[in-house]
Structure formats: structure tokens, C-alpha cells
Amino acid sequence: MVSGEFTEVSVVRPRVPAAVPAARPTWWRRAARAAPPYLYLAPALVMLVVWTYRPLAQTVQLSFHSWNLLPTSPMANVGLANYERLLSTPDLGDSVWRTVLVILGLLPFTVVVPVLVSLLSRRVQGRAGAAYRAMVFAPMLVAPVAGAAVWQWLLDPDSGVVNSALGTRINWLHDAGPAQIAIILITGWHLVGFAVLVVSAGLTGINPDYASAAQVDGASRGQILRWITLPMLSPTLAFLLLMTVLLSAQWTFPLIDTLTQGGPAESTTTVYYLLWDYGFHSYDAGLGAAAGVIFFIGFVLVAAVLVRLSDRLSHYDD
């Protein structure tokens, strides 16, 4: 190397191959990746279509026909005649009013009593508490028809245990007023255990730190119940309220069919028993289907209103 002179050396960098874009998966590969959740849901969806939506569509179709349920008798298209007959008869309004009375009568058994029992049962610890809750839940395990047979004996006007204990001679199942009361009380006896179980689960889900912090601040038990426990329990109470409104007529149906058959003088005929009576006592399937469609729409609207109100009024643990 000569002083003052520089030798220029060129460095050859290795060529980096250009990135090849990844091949897009084919449509069947994408479908195979997205399919598992829908495959898990498929059996439930199929059963929902077969046992819910298909009968609902058939009910809507049947409501526009006249049919006496005989396979040898063809259905006759009558248009809106079934709906006109149904809306013009007083039976519809009377059954709706009786259903409202049943709902109001069952609310203490599905909301008030379960809250009181659940709060009291929290003080019973260990095996005694479990046994106590099991005893409360036991009536829910009794089949409605079997329970109705026992209650029919208990409510006998001559030799029944209820009249003997009260010192009365009330004909519970054959007088209009007592029959309504009996149906509500027996249904409430069946349901109170389930409601207690739901409320107990709701109470378990409430963080105990709120009550502890309130006690440190000097809050009493009543104040903790009023301002912490009940507001945090509001989603559970809203669920029980919704269930009572939507299912009361269905819960009372087996008892009504077994004990009173809608009587006396239709005093225990609710909306469920009315449409069943149209279809299977009067053999007017079209009129019964029309009643079912109207009641379905009515309950959907009521449920939508209640769900909206519960979302606004309920307090959640965030």
C-alpha cells in the first residue's frame, strides 16, 4: 500500500429473496375454522325449531281456519273470523283479569316470602342451614297432580284438615272466592322453594365487603338491607317478577285442571285454561289457536316492557 493512495473495495451484499405473499386459505378452510361453535349450537337450535318455532307457525296458520280436531274433517279457511269471535266474547277479558289476580296473588310467594326466608336462613349455618333450605325446597319436587290430590283431601268441606284446623266449613274448591284463593295458595306453596333458592343464590353473589364497609361507617342492619342488599339483589328480584308475570297461568294450569276444571262458574279460568278449553273441550281448534296467538303477542309485549324496566332499575356489582 502506497502512502496517500486508497484502494476502493466493493462489498457485494447477498440478495434477499422477495417475500412471497402467504396463500389465502380457501373458503372451505375458513368455513371449517368457523364451524365448531355453530356445530355445538346446532342440536339446541334444531330442537328449538322443531319444538317451539314450528308449532308456533302451525298455531298461527291454524288460527285462520275452522277445525274440530278430527282427522277425517278438513280444515276450512275462515280468515279473521276466529279473531273477531274471540275479541267479541267476554270470556277473553274475564280470563285476562283472573290471570292478573293470580299474578298479584303469587307475587308474595315468589318475591316477598323468599327474600324474608333467604335472609333468615343465612343465620343458620352448617348442615342445619342446608337441611332447612332442603325442607323449604321440598314442595317444588312434588308433582302438581299428586299435590293436587293431597290438597283436595285436605280441603274437603266436611272432613278436611284445613277446615278442622280453622274451625270453618268453607267449600274451598266449589265456591268462587275460596276456589281462587285455594289455587293461588297451593301454587305459591309449590313455588316458594324455587324462589328461595334463586334469592339465596342472588344473596351469595353479593360482595360482603360492601356490608363490612357500611358497618365500619356505623350503618345499622336495617340500613345495610335497605341501601345495599336489596339494591344489589334487584336483578334477581326482577327475574322472579318476570317469571311470575309470564308463567303464573302456566303454573296454575295443572292445579286448575285437576281441582276445579276452570270453575266454579269459570272463576278460576285463566288465559291458559281458556285456550285449552276452546281447543279440547269445545273442539274449536281455530278459536283456541287464535287465543294462543293473542296471548303470545300480549306476553311478548309485557316481557319487553318488564325487561326494559328491569335494565333501568336494577343495580349491578361493577
Side-chain angles (χ1 to χ4, degrees), residues 28-63:
W28 65 269
R29 288 181 179 272
R30 295 196 300 268
R33 292 176 182 176
Y38 299 98
L39 293 177
Y40 283 116
L41 291 175
L45 294 176
V46 170
M47 297 299 290
L48 191 64
V49 170
V50 171
W51 297 109
T52 301
Y53 296 125
R54 180 171 172 266
L56 181 61
Q58 291 176 332
T59 301
V60 174
Q61 180 186 8
L62 184 59
S63 67

PDB file of all heavy atoms in Angstrom, residues 28-63:
ATOM      1  N   TRP A  28     -63.380 -23.222   2.036  1.00  0.00           N
ATOM      2  CA  TRP A  28     -63.794 -24.347   2.880  1.00  0.00           C
ATOM      3  C   TRP A  28     -62.936 -24.445   4.132  1.00  0.00           C
ATOM      4  O   TRP A  28     -63.387 -24.900   5.175  1.00  0.00           O
ATOM      5  CB  TRP A  28     -63.768 -25.652   2.079  1.00  0.00           C
ATOM      6  CG  TRP A  28     -62.417 -26.089   1.603  1.00  0.00           C
ATOM      7  CD1 TRP A  28     -61.815 -25.785   0.419  1.00  0.00           C
ATOM      8  CD2 TRP A  28     -61.497 -26.909   2.321  1.00  0.00           C
ATOM      9  NE1 TRP A  28     -60.574 -26.358   0.327  1.00  0.00           N
ATOM     10  CE2 TRP A  28     -60.353 -27.074   1.493  1.00  0.00           C
ATOM     11  CE3 TRP A  28     -61.514 -27.537   3.561  1.00  0.00           C
ATOM     12  CZ2 TRP A  28     -59.242 -27.815   1.872  1.00  0.00           C
ATOM     13  CZ3 TRP A  28     -60.410 -28.290   3.945  1.00  0.00           C
ATOM     14  CH2 TRP A  28     -59.294 -28.419   3.110  1.00  0.00           C
ATOM     15  N   ARG A  29     -61.652 -23.968   4.052  1.00  0.00           N
ATOM     16  CA  ARG A  29     -60.835 -23.934   5.259  1.00  0.00           C
ATOM     17  C   ARG A  29     -61.367 -22.884   6.239  1.00  0.00           C
ATOM     18  O   ARG A  29     -61.410 -23.106   7.459  1.00  0.00           O
ATOM     19  CB  ARG A  29     -59.381 -23.638   4.908  1.00  0.00           C
ATOM     20  CG  ARG A  29     -58.649 -24.783   4.216  1.00  0.00           C
ATOM     21  CD  ARG A  29     -57.208 -24.392   3.930  1.00  0.00           C
ATOM     22  NE  ARG A  29     -56.485 -25.478   3.292  1.00  0.00           N
ATOM     23  CZ  ARG A  29     -55.841 -26.435   3.926  1.00  0.00           C
ATOM     24  NH1 ARG A  29     -55.836 -26.431   5.246  1.00  0.00           N
ATOM     25  NH2 ARG A  29     -55.212 -27.383   3.278  1.00  0.00           N
ATOM     26  N   ARG A  30     -61.756 -21.723   5.718  1.00  0.00           N
ATOM     27  CA  ARG A  30     -62.328 -20.691   6.581  1.00  0.00           C
ATOM     28  C   ARG A  30     -63.636 -21.162   7.202  1.00  0.00           C
ATOM     29  O   ARG A  30     -63.914 -20.913   8.383  1.00  0.00           O
ATOM     30  CB  ARG A  30     -62.551 -19.400   5.781  1.00  0.00           C
ATOM     31  CG  ARG A  30     -61.258 -18.757   5.284  1.00  0.00           C
ATOM     32  CD  ARG A  30     -61.505 -17.314   4.856  1.00  0.00           C
ATOM     33  NE  ARG A  30     -62.473 -17.247   3.777  1.00  0.00           N
ATOM     34  CZ  ARG A  30     -62.156 -17.261   2.485  1.00  0.00           C
ATOM     35  NH1 ARG A  30     -60.875 -17.373   2.112  1.00  0.00           N
ATOM     36  NH2 ARG A  30     -63.081 -17.175   1.559  1.00  0.00           N
ATOM     37  N   ALA A  31     -64.430 -21.864   6.413  1.00  0.00           N
ATOM     38  CA  ALA A  31     -65.681 -22.381   6.950  1.00  0.00           C
ATOM     39  C   ALA A  31     -65.435 -23.441   8.014  1.00  0.00           C
ATOM     40  O   ALA A  31     -66.145 -23.494   9.033  1.00  0.00           O
ATOM     41  CB  ALA A  31     -66.532 -22.958   5.810  1.00  0.00           C
ATOM     42  N   ALA A  32     -64.414 -24.271   7.810  1.00  0.00           N
ATOM     43  CA  ALA A  32     -64.104 -25.318   8.794  1.00  0.00           C
ATOM     44  C   ALA A  32     -63.635 -24.704  10.114  1.00  0.00           C
ATOM     45  O   ALA A  32     -63.921 -25.222  11.195  1.00  0.00           O
ATOM     46  CB  ALA A  32     -63.052 -26.261   8.234  1.00  0.00           C
ATOM     47  N   ARG A  33     -62.890 -23.582  10.039  1.00  0.00           N
ATOM     48  CA  ARG A  33     -62.433 -22.924  11.258  1.00  0.00           C
ATOM     49  C   ARG A  33     -63.590 -22.262  12.005  1.00  0.00           C
ATOM     50  O   ARG A  33     -63.598 -22.210  13.238  1.00  0.00           O
ATOM     51  CB  ARG A  33     -61.370 -21.886  10.910  1.00  0.00           C
ATOM     52  CG  ARG A  33     -60.060 -22.486  10.406  1.00  0.00           C
ATOM     53  CD  ARG A  33     -59.094 -21.392   9.997  1.00  0.00           C
ATOM     54  NE  ARG A  33     -57.839 -21.953   9.467  1.00  0.00           N
ATOM     55  CZ  ARG A  33     -56.855 -21.211   8.958  1.00  0.00           C
ATOM     56  NH1 ARG A  33     -56.975 -19.888   8.930  1.00  0.00           N
ATOM     57  NH2 ARG A  33     -55.780 -21.792   8.503  1.00  0.00           N
ATOM     58  N   ALA A  34     -64.548 -21.713  11.267  1.00  0.00           N
ATOM     59  CA  ALA A  34     -65.666 -21.008  11.910  1.00  0.00           C
ATOM     60  C   ALA A  34     -66.808 -21.930  12.306  1.00  0.00           C
ATOM     61  O   ALA A  34     -67.704 -21.511  13.035  1.00  0.00           O
ATOM     62  CB  ALA A  34     -66.198 -19.929  10.962  1.00  0.00           C
ATOM     63  N   ALA A  35     -66.777 -23.184  11.884  1.00  0.00           N
ATOM     64  CA  ALA A  35     -67.922 -24.074  12.095  1.00  0.00           C
ATOM     65  C   ALA A  35     -68.099 -24.593  13.516  1.00  0.00           C
ATOM     66  O   ALA A  35     -69.244 -24.777  13.947  1.00  0.00           O
ATOM     67  CB  ALA A  35     -67.836 -25.262  11.123  1.00  0.00           C
ATOM     68  N   PRO A  36     -67.031 -24.889  14.296  1.00  0.00           N
ATOM     69  CA  PRO A  36     -67.232 -25.558  15.598  1.00  0.00           C
ATOM     70  C   PRO A  36     -68.256 -24.911  16.517  1.00  0.00           C
ATOM     71  O   PRO A  36     -69.109 -25.624  17.069  1.00  0.00           O
ATOM     72  CB  PRO A  36     -65.827 -25.556  16.205  1.00  0.00           C
ATOM     73  CG  PRO A  36     -64.918 -25.602  15.036  1.00  0.00           C
ATOM     74  CD  PRO A  36     -65.588 -24.774  13.990  1.00  0.00           C
ATOM     75  N   PRO A  37     -68.255 -23.575  16.733  1.00  0.00           N
ATOM     76  CA  PRO A  37     -69.285 -23.023  17.636  1.00  0.00           C
ATOM     77  C   PRO A  37     -70.703 -23.302  17.156  1.00  0.00           C
ATOM     78  O   PRO A  37     -71.594 -23.607  17.964  1.00  0.00           O
ATOM     79  CB  PRO A  37     -68.975 -21.519  17.644  1.00  0.00           C
ATOM     80  CG  PRO A  37     -67.546 -21.415  17.225  1.00  0.00           C
ATOM     81  CD  PRO A  37     -67.332 -22.537  16.268  1.00  0.00           C
ATOM     82  N   TYR A  38     -70.904 -23.204  15.837  1.00  0.00           N
ATOM     83  CA  TYR A  38     -72.243 -23.430  15.303  1.00  0.00           C
ATOM     84  C   TYR A  38     -72.629 -24.910  15.364  1.00  0.00           C
ATOM     85  O   TYR A  38     -73.817 -25.236  15.518  1.00  0.00           O
ATOM     86  CB  TYR A  38     -72.321 -22.923  13.865  1.00  0.00           C
ATOM     87  CG  TYR A  38     -72.052 -21.446  13.753  1.00  0.00           C
ATOM     88  CD1 TYR A  38     -70.793 -20.977  13.397  1.00  0.00           C
ATOM     89  CD2 TYR A  38     -73.053 -20.514  14.025  1.00  0.00           C
ATOM     90  CE1 TYR A  38     -70.545 -19.612  13.303  1.00  0.00           C
ATOM     91  CE2 TYR A  38     -72.817 -19.155  13.931  1.00  0.00           C
ATOM     92  CZ  TYR A  38     -71.557 -18.705  13.579  1.00  0.00           C
ATOM     93  OH  TYR A  38     -71.306 -17.365  13.504  1.00  0.00           O
ATOM     94  N   LEU A  39     -71.643 -25.788  15.262  1.00  0.00           N
ATOM     95  CA  LEU A  39     -71.937 -27.221  15.390  1.00  0.00           C
ATOM     96  C   LEU A  39     -72.353 -27.561  16.814  1.00  0.00           C
ATOM     97  O   LEU A  39     -73.219 -28.413  17.033  1.00  0.00           O
ATOM     98  CB  LEU A  39     -70.718 -28.051  14.974  1.00  0.00           C
ATOM     99  CG  LEU A  39     -70.338 -27.975  13.491  1.00  0.00           C
ATOM    100  CD1 LEU A  39     -69.084 -28.783  13.236  1.00  0.00           C
ATOM    101  CD2 LEU A  39     -71.488 -28.471  12.614  1.00  0.00           C
ATOM    102  N   TYR A  40     -71.737 -26.901  17.808  1.00  0.00           N
ATOM    103  CA  TYR A  40     -72.142 -27.119  19.192  1.00  0.00           C
ATOM    104  C   TYR A  40     -73.566 -26.621  19.434  1.00  0.00           C
ATOM    105  O   TYR A  40     -74.321 -27.216  20.214  1.00  0.00           O
ATOM    106  CB  TYR A  40     -71.180 -26.409  20.140  1.00  0.00           C
ATOM    107  CG  TYR A  40     -69.861 -27.126  20.324  1.00  0.00           C
ATOM    108  CD1 TYR A  40     -68.670 -26.539  19.914  1.00  0.00           C
ATOM    109  CD2 TYR A  40     -69.810 -28.393  20.903  1.00  0.00           C
ATOM    110  CE1 TYR A  40     -67.460 -27.190  20.077  1.00  0.00           C
ATOM    111  CE2 TYR A  40     -68.602 -29.046  21.070  1.00  0.00           C
ATOM    112  CZ  TYR A  40     -67.429 -28.448  20.650  1.00  0.00           C
ATOM    113  OH  TYR A  40     -66.225 -29.107  20.805  1.00  0.00           O
ATOM    114  N   LEU A  41     -73.925 -25.528  18.778  1.00  0.00           N
ATOM    115  CA  LEU A  41     -75.257 -24.957  18.961  1.00  0.00           C
ATOM    116  C   LEU A  41     -76.322 -25.651  18.120  1.00  0.00           C
ATOM    117  O   LEU A  41     -77.512 -25.489  18.384  1.00  0.00           O
ATOM    118  CB  LEU A  41     -75.246 -23.467  18.598  1.00  0.00           C
ATOM    119  CG  LEU A  41     -74.468 -22.533  19.529  1.00  0.00           C
ATOM    120  CD1 LEU A  41     -74.452 -21.123  18.958  1.00  0.00           C
ATOM    121  CD2 LEU A  41     -75.088 -22.521  20.915  1.00  0.00           C
ATOM    122  N   ALA A  42     -75.902 -26.397  17.121  1.00  0.00           N
ATOM    123  CA  ALA A  42     -76.856 -26.975  16.169  1.00  0.00           C
ATOM    124  C   ALA A  42     -77.927 -27.845  16.826  1.00  0.00           C
ATOM    125  O   ALA A  42     -79.115 -27.696  16.516  1.00  0.00           O
ATOM    126  CB  ALA A  42     -76.110 -27.759  15.091  1.00  0.00           C
ATOM    127  N   PRO A  43     -77.583 -28.780  17.743  1.00  0.00           N
ATOM    128  CA  PRO A  43     -78.654 -29.597  18.348  1.00  0.00           C
ATOM    129  C   PRO A  43     -79.699 -28.762  19.074  1.00  0.00           C
ATOM    130  O   PRO A  43     -80.901 -29.008  18.942  1.00  0.00           O
ATOM    131  CB  PRO A  43     -77.891 -30.510  19.315  1.00  0.00           C
ATOM    132  CG  PRO A  43     -76.506 -30.564  18.782  1.00  0.00           C
ATOM    133  CD  PRO A  43     -76.255 -29.224  18.197  1.00  0.00           C
ATOM    134  N   ALA A  44     -79.257 -27.750  19.836  1.00  0.00           N
ATOM    135  CA  ALA A  44     -80.216 -26.912  20.546  1.00  0.00           C
ATOM    136  C   ALA A  44     -81.072 -26.111  19.575  1.00  0.00           C
ATOM    137  O   ALA A  44     -82.283 -25.953  19.778  1.00  0.00           O
ATOM    138  CB  ALA A  44     -79.481 -25.969  21.501  1.00  0.00           C
ATOM    139  N   LEU A  45     -80.464 -25.597  18.505  1.00  0.00           N
ATOM    140  CA  LEU A  45     -81.224 -24.831  17.523  1.00  0.00           C
ATOM    141  C   LEU A  45     -82.244 -25.709  16.801  1.00  0.00           C
ATOM    142  O   LEU A  45     -83.374 -25.279  16.536  1.00  0.00           O
ATOM    143  CB  LEU A  45     -80.270 -24.180  16.510  1.00  0.00           C
ATOM    144  CG  LEU A  45     -79.336 -23.109  17.061  1.00  0.00           C
ATOM    145  CD1 LEU A  45     -78.378 -22.612  15.975  1.00  0.00           C
ATOM    146  CD2 LEU A  45     -80.141 -21.943  17.632  1.00  0.00           C
ATOM    147  N   VAL A  46     -81.834 -26.932  16.477  1.00  0.00           N
ATOM    148  CA  VAL A  46     -82.771 -27.855  15.815  1.00  0.00           C
ATOM    149  C   VAL A  46     -83.955 -28.158  16.727  1.00  0.00           C
ATOM    150  O   VAL A  46     -85.121 -28.131  16.293  1.00  0.00           O
ATOM    151  CB  VAL A  46     -82.042 -29.150  15.406  1.00  0.00           C
ATOM    152  CG1 VAL A  46     -83.047 -30.202  14.950  1.00  0.00           C
ATOM    153  CG2 VAL A  46     -81.044 -28.860  14.292  1.00  0.00           C
ATOM    154  N   MET A  47     -83.700 -28.437  18.001  1.00  0.00           N
ATOM    155  CA  MET A  47     -84.781 -28.714  18.942  1.00  0.00           C
ATOM    156  C   MET A  47     -85.672 -27.481  19.135  1.00  0.00           C
ATOM    157  O   MET A  47     -86.892 -27.603  19.271  1.00  0.00           O
ATOM    158  CB  MET A  47     -84.207 -29.150  20.280  1.00  0.00           C
ATOM    159  CG  MET A  47     -83.401 -30.442  20.220  1.00  0.00           C
ATOM    160  SD  MET A  47     -84.392 -31.857  19.670  1.00  0.00           S
ATOM    161  CE  MET A  47     -85.440 -32.070  21.098  1.00  0.00           C
ATOM    162  N   LEU A  48     -85.068 -26.295  19.126  1.00  0.00           N
ATOM    163  CA  LEU A  48     -85.843 -25.070  19.270  1.00  0.00           C
ATOM    164  C   LEU A  48     -86.773 -24.873  18.079  1.00  0.00           C
ATOM    165  O   LEU A  48     -87.934 -24.484  18.246  1.00  0.00           O
ATOM    166  CB  LEU A  48     -84.890 -23.878  19.405  1.00  0.00           C
ATOM    167  CG  LEU A  48     -85.508 -22.545  19.821  1.00  0.00           C
ATOM    168  CD1 LEU A  48     -86.095 -22.642  21.221  1.00  0.00           C
ATOM    169  CD2 LEU A  48     -84.458 -21.442  19.756  1.00  0.00           C
ATOM    170  N   VAL A  49     -86.271 -25.161  16.890  1.00  0.00           N
ATOM    171  CA  VAL A  49     -87.103 -25.023  15.697  1.00  0.00           C
ATOM    172  C   VAL A  49     -88.216 -26.067  15.692  1.00  0.00           C
ATOM    173  O   VAL A  49     -89.381 -25.757  15.396  1.00  0.00           O
ATOM    174  CB  VAL A  49     -86.235 -25.141  14.429  1.00  0.00           C
ATOM    175  CG1 VAL A  49     -87.113 -25.240  13.184  1.00  0.00           C
ATOM    176  CG2 VAL A  49     -85.297 -23.950  14.321  1.00  0.00           C
ATOM    177  N   VAL A  50     -87.868 -27.312  16.051  1.00  0.00           N
ATOM    178  CA  VAL A  50     -88.840 -28.399  15.979  1.00  0.00           C
ATOM    179  C   VAL A  50     -89.923 -28.252  17.039  1.00  0.00           C
ATOM    180  O   VAL A  50     -91.117 -28.433  16.754  1.00  0.00           O
ATOM    181  CB  VAL A  50     -88.129 -29.763  16.120  1.00  0.00           C
ATOM    182  CG1 VAL A  50     -89.144 -30.887  16.266  1.00  0.00           C
ATOM    183  CG2 VAL A  50     -87.238 -29.999  14.918  1.00  0.00           C
ATOM    184  N   TRP A  51     -89.554 -27.874  18.271  1.00  0.00           N
ATOM    185  CA  TRP A  51     -90.495 -27.889  19.380  1.00  0.00           C
ATOM    186  C   TRP A  51     -91.057 -26.512  19.735  1.00  0.00           C
ATOM    187  O   TRP A  51     -91.973 -26.429  20.548  1.00  0.00           O
ATOM    188  CB  TRP A  51     -89.840 -28.486  20.624  1.00  0.00           C
ATOM    189  CG  TRP A  51     -89.443 -29.910  20.446  1.00  0.00           C
ATOM    190  CD1 TRP A  51     -88.193 -30.418  20.329  1.00  0.00           C
ATOM    191  CD2 TRP A  51     -90.325 -31.041  20.347  1.00  0.00           C
ATOM    192  NE1 TRP A  51     -88.217 -31.770  20.166  1.00  0.00           N
ATOM    193  CE2 TRP A  51     -89.525 -32.195  20.180  1.00  0.00           C
ATOM    194  CE3 TRP A  51     -91.712 -31.185  20.390  1.00  0.00           C
ATOM    195  CZ2 TRP A  51     -90.064 -33.470  20.049  1.00  0.00           C
ATOM    196  CZ3 TRP A  51     -92.250 -32.465  20.260  1.00  0.00           C
ATOM    197  CH2 TRP A  51     -91.430 -33.586  20.096  1.00  0.00           C
ATOM    198  N   THR A  52     -90.532 -25.433  19.163  1.00  0.00           N
ATOM    199  CA  THR A  52     -91.037 -24.097  19.502  1.00  0.00           C
ATOM    200  C   THR A  52     -91.516 -23.342  18.272  1.00  0.00           C
ATOM    201  O   THR A  52     -92.696 -22.980  18.180  1.00  0.00           O
ATOM    202  CB  THR A  52     -89.947 -23.284  20.229  1.00  0.00           C
ATOM    203  OG1 THR A  52     -89.555 -23.975  21.413  1.00  0.00           O
ATOM    204  CG2 THR A  52     -90.474 -21.902  20.611  1.00  0.00           C
ATOM    205  N   TYR A  53     -90.606 -23.076  17.335  1.00  0.00           N
ATOM    206  CA  TYR A  53     -90.963 -22.218  16.209  1.00  0.00           C
ATOM    207  C   TYR A  53     -91.905 -22.917  15.223  1.00  0.00           C
ATOM    208  O   TYR A  53     -92.813 -22.284  14.675  1.00  0.00           O
ATOM    209  CB  TYR A  53     -89.698 -21.740  15.501  1.00  0.00           C
ATOM    210  CG  TYR A  53     -88.837 -20.861  16.376  1.00  0.00           C
ATOM    211  CD1 TYR A  53     -87.499 -21.161  16.609  1.00  0.00           C
ATOM    212  CD2 TYR A  53     -89.374 -19.736  16.995  1.00  0.00           C
ATOM    213  CE1 TYR A  53     -86.719 -20.363  17.417  1.00  0.00           C
ATOM    214  CE2 TYR A  53     -88.598 -18.936  17.804  1.00  0.00           C
ATOM    215  CZ  TYR A  53     -87.275 -19.252  18.010  1.00  0.00           C
ATOM    216  OH  TYR A  53     -86.507 -18.457  18.823  1.00  0.00           O
ATOM    217  N   ARG A  54     -91.699 -24.192  14.989  1.00  0.00           N
ATOM    218  CA  ARG A  54     -92.610 -24.904  14.082  1.00  0.00           C
ATOM    219  C   ARG A  54     -94.024 -24.976  14.643  1.00  0.00           C
ATOM    220  O   ARG A  54     -94.987 -24.665  13.936  1.00  0.00           O
ATOM    221  CB  ARG A  54     -92.059 -26.304  13.802  1.00  0.00           C
ATOM    222  CG  ARG A  54     -92.917 -27.140  12.867  1.00  0.00           C
ATOM    223  CD  ARG A  54     -92.178 -28.417  12.478  1.00  0.00           C
ATOM    224  NE  ARG A  54     -93.039 -29.322  11.740  1.00  0.00           N
ATOM    225  CZ  ARG A  54     -93.743 -30.298  12.290  1.00  0.00           C
ATOM    226  NH1 ARG A  54     -93.690 -30.483  13.608  1.00  0.00           N
ATOM    227  NH2 ARG A  54     -94.498 -31.090  11.561  1.00  0.00           N
ATOM    228  N   PRO A  55     -94.231 -25.378  15.935  1.00  0.00           N
ATOM    229  CA  PRO A  55     -95.601 -25.338  16.465  1.00  0.00           C
ATOM    230  C   PRO A  55     -96.189 -23.932  16.496  1.00  0.00           C
ATOM    231  O   PRO A  55     -97.400 -23.767  16.299  1.00  0.00           O
ATOM    232  CB  PRO A  55     -95.431 -25.896  17.890  1.00  0.00           C
ATOM    233  CG  PRO A  55     -94.208 -26.730  17.836  1.00  0.00           C
ATOM    234  CD  PRO A  55     -93.305 -26.025  16.884  1.00  0.00           C
ATOM    235  N   LEU A  56     -95.339 -22.917  16.736  1.00  0.00           N
ATOM    236  CA  LEU A  56     -95.855 -21.548  16.733  1.00  0.00           C
ATOM    237  C   LEU A  56     -96.350 -21.158  15.349  1.00  0.00           C
ATOM    238  O   LEU A  56     -97.432 -20.548  15.213  1.00  0.00           O
ATOM    239  CB  LEU A  56     -94.752 -20.591  17.195  1.00  0.00           C
ATOM    240  CG  LEU A  56     -95.128 -19.113  17.277  1.00  0.00           C
ATOM    241  CD1 LEU A  56     -96.263 -18.894  18.269  1.00  0.00           C
ATOM    242  CD2 LEU A  56     -93.911 -18.284  17.679  1.00  0.00           C
ATOM    243  N   ALA A  57     -95.589 -21.524  14.320  1.00  0.00           N
ATOM    244  CA  ALA A  57     -96.038 -21.235  12.952  1.00  0.00           C
ATOM    245  C   ALA A  57     -97.324 -22.001  12.621  1.00  0.00           C
ATOM    246  O   ALA A  57     -98.235 -21.463  11.971  1.00  0.00           O
ATOM    247  CB  ALA A  57     -94.933 -21.591  11.961  1.00  0.00           C
ATOM    248  N   GLN A  58     -97.431 -23.245  13.075  1.00  0.00           N
ATOM    249  CA  GLN A  58     -98.648 -24.014  12.833  1.00  0.00           C
ATOM    250  C   GLN A  58     -99.840 -23.419  13.584  1.00  0.00           C
ATOM    251  O   GLN A  58    -100.968 -23.446  13.084  1.00  0.00           O
ATOM    252  CB  GLN A  58     -98.427 -25.466  13.251  1.00  0.00           C
ATOM    253  CG  GLN A  58     -97.462 -26.228  12.372  1.00  0.00           C
ATOM    254  CD  GLN A  58     -97.196 -27.635  12.871  1.00  0.00           C
ATOM    255  OE1 GLN A  58     -97.288 -27.914  14.067  1.00  0.00           O
ATOM    256  NE2 GLN A  58     -96.858 -28.541  11.953  1.00  0.00           N
ATOM    257  N   THR A  59     -99.596 -22.876  14.768  1.00  0.00           N
ATOM    258  CA  THR A  59    -100.677 -22.243  15.523  1.00  0.00           C
ATOM    259  C   THR A  59    -101.192 -21.012  14.804  1.00  0.00           C
ATOM    260  O   THR A  59    -102.410 -20.788  14.719  1.00  0.00           O
ATOM    261  CB  THR A  59    -100.176 -21.857  16.932  1.00  0.00           C
ATOM    262  OG1 THR A  59     -99.724 -23.031  17.606  1.00  0.00           O
ATOM    263  CG2 THR A  59    -101.290 -21.203  17.741  1.00  0.00           C
ATOM    264  N   VAL A  60    -100.272 -20.202  14.285  1.00  0.00           N
ATOM    265  CA  VAL A  60    -100.699 -19.020  13.527  1.00  0.00           C
ATOM    266  C   VAL A  60    -101.506 -19.443  12.298  1.00  0.00           C
ATOM    267  O   VAL A  60    -102.538 -18.851  11.985  1.00  0.00           O
ATOM    268  CB  VAL A  60     -99.469 -18.185  13.123  1.00  0.00           C
ATOM    269  CG1 VAL A  60     -99.882 -17.028  12.214  1.00  0.00           C
ATOM    270  CG2 VAL A  60     -98.755 -17.651  14.366  1.00  0.00           C
ATOM    271  N   GLN A  61    -101.050 -20.475  11.608  1.00  0.00           N
ATOM    272  CA  GLN A  61    -101.785 -20.959  10.442  1.00  0.00           C
ATOM    273  C   GLN A  61    -103.162 -21.490  10.830  1.00  0.00           C
ATOM    274  O   GLN A  61    -104.169 -21.210  10.167  1.00  0.00           O
ATOM    275  CB  GLN A  61    -100.978 -22.044   9.743  1.00  0.00           C
ATOM    276  CG  GLN A  61    -101.664 -22.627   8.512  1.00  0.00           C
ATOM    277  CD  GLN A  61    -100.895 -23.797   7.924  1.00  0.00           C
ATOM    278  OE1 GLN A  61     -99.920 -24.264   8.525  1.00  0.00           O
ATOM    279  NE2 GLN A  61    -101.326 -24.277   6.771  1.00  0.00           N
ATOM    280  N   LEU A  62    -103.225 -22.247  11.938  1.00  0.00           N
ATOM    281  CA  LEU A  62    -104.492 -22.823  12.366  1.00  0.00           C
ATOM    282  C   LEU A  62    -105.482 -21.765  12.823  1.00  0.00           C
ATOM    283  O   LEU A  62    -106.696 -21.976  12.735  1.00  0.00           O
ATOM    284  CB  LEU A  62    -104.234 -23.824  13.500  1.00  0.00           C
ATOM    285  CG  LEU A  62    -105.437 -24.609  14.037  1.00  0.00           C
ATOM    286  CD1 LEU A  62    -106.110 -25.418  12.930  1.00  0.00           C
ATOM    287  CD2 LEU A  62    -105.001 -25.520  15.182  1.00  0.00           C
ATOM    288  N   SER A  63    -104.993 -20.620  13.302  1.00  0.00           N
ATOM    289  CA  SER A  63    -105.892 -19.585  13.793  1.00  0.00           C
ATOM    290  C   SER A  63    -106.758 -18.987  12.693  1.00  0.00           C
ATOM    291  O   SER A  63    -107.763 -18.333  12.992  1.00  0.00           O
ATOM    292  CB  SER A  63    -105.087 -18.485  14.477  1.00  0.00           C
ATOM    293  OG  SER A  63    -104.278 -17.790  13.548  1.00  0.00           O
TER     294      SER A  63
END
